[in-house]
Structure formats: structure tokens, C-alpha cells
Amino acid sequence: MLVRLVYASRAAEPMTAKMLDTVLQQSRGYNQSRGITGVLCAHEAGNSFLQVLEGSREEVNRLYNKIVRDDRHTDVLLLGYAEIGERRFSSWRMGRIDLKQVNPSTLLRYSERAELDPSTLSAERALALLEELITTVAG
Ligand SMILES: Cc1cc2nc3c(=O)[nH]c(=O)nc-3n(C[C@H](O)[C@H](O)[C@H](O)COP(=O)(O)O)c2cc1C
């Protein structure tokens, strides 16, 4: 059975490219071997993360438990968790979205201000935003 989990968090220290590279590198090997797909959106200006994880219930729960305990971020807030019929991010071992490259008007469609605060988004809005961004600025 497949599930999708989406959460928001705050970086423990000001985000650096090196930290992001390390996390992504770590993630891609693990996720591929465990059948996990998803996207990590890093918002440098707001020092926040928004991530979606898809995969088997067991693997997604196991990974989320590791992620929650990771001291590189804090205030991990579960936005949504649902059983799903199919994946939305199936081509991504872990896609990366850098919000610096995003057009402010795109963010404004989803949030009150152009400075995105992912912790205020509903799961549905968060997923819609990630789905739109993955088609434009993901790497
Ligand atoms: C924002 C953020 C997102 C992360 N995403 C993933 C991920 O998708 N996959 C993964 O394997 N590790 C991810 N990690 C790293 C895990 O938290 C953890 O360090 C890694 O799974 C190794 O855990 P272990 O040493 O307990 O095996 C992420 C860390 C952070 C801070």
C-alpha cells in the first residue's frame, strides 16, 4: 500500500548549499533503494523546508522517523499523511527545488505573501505548489 506524507520544518542553522547537497546526496541513494520518491523544497530566505515523501507505508514511516530526529532542522510539522492510489512524484528519487529561482507571483498564488511560510499551508496547497514547481525549477 502506498502513502504520501508532507511536512514543513525550519533549518536549525542558516541554510547553506553544502548542507543541502549533503542531505540530497544522502537521500537519493537511500530513497532509491527503498522505493521512496518525493521533492525537497528549500526556502533559503525563510530558512524553511517543505518535503513530500511517497512510498510504502512502512518505508515512509521509517524515513519520517529518521527525518524528525535529524538535528539539522527543527519544528517539523506534519501537514498531511494519506493513503494514495498512485504517486505524483514518481520520477524523483528526491527532487530539489530552490525557491530562489521561483517567480514571486507563483508563490503569491499559494500564500499570503511572496515570502512563503510552508507551515501555514494545507497539505493540499502544499502538494499543488510542489507539483507546479517540480515542473519548472526542479533539479
Ligand atoms: C530537510 C531534510 C530532508 C531529508 N530528506 C531525506 C530523504 O528524503 N531521504 C533520506 O534518506 N534522508 C533524508 N534526510 C536525512 C535523514 O534525516 C537522516 O540523516 C538519514 O536518513 C540518515 O539517517 P541514519 O543515520 O539514522 O541512517 C533529510 C534530512 C533533512 C534535514
Side-chain angles (χ1 to χ4, degrees):
M1 193 201 42
L2 286 171
V3 300
R4 181 182 300 120
L5 184 155
V6 55
Y7 76 83
S9 66
R10 303 209 164 276
E13 294 186 1
M15 244 181 245
T16 62
K18 189 163 171 256
M19 180 269 205
L20 281 177
D21 286 346
T22 311
V23 168
L24 262 301
Q25 207 177 13
Q26 228 177 2
S27 303
R28 286 175 173 158
Y30 181 92
N31 295 2
Q32 185 161 34
S33 69
R34 304 295 176 120
I36 290 176
T37 53
V39 197
L40 176 64
C41 176
H43 184 23
E44 226 175 291
N47 220 32
S48 57
F49 293 110
L50 178 63
Q51 188 175 29
V52 57
L53 304 169
E54 298 173 330
S56 76
R57 179 165 58 189
E58 200 185 342
E59 293 295 354
V60 169
N61 278 279
R62 181 178 294 135
L63 176 57
Y64 183 63
N65 277 300
K66 281 176 187 253
I67 289 176
V68 167
R69 287 197 295 267
D70 195 316
D71 58 14
R72 287 171 288 190
H73 63 172
T74 59
D75 301 335
V76 181
L77 179 67
L78 183 65
L79 302 181
Y81 181 89
E83 291 177 13
I84 54 170
E86 58 188 57
R87 298 177 194 244
R88 289 202 207 166
F89 302 92
S90 56
S91 17
W92 301 94
R93 295 179 290 164
M94 188 46 60
R96 170 181 183 163
I97 294 167
D98 181 351
L99 274 191
K100 272 190 307 204
Q101 298 169 35
V102 176
N103 188 330
S105 65
T106 305
L107 291 183
L108 274 173
R109 291 221 314 283
Y110 293 89
S111 66
E112 292 165 20
R113 287 176 295 145
E115 284 300 310
L116 182 70
D117 179 358
S119 67
T120 62
L121 290 175
S122 68
E124 191 201 339
R125 293 285 79 203
L127 289 168
L129 173 64
L130 291 173
E131 219 167 13
E132 173 164 353
L133 297 181
I134 199 95
T135 59
T136 48
V137 294

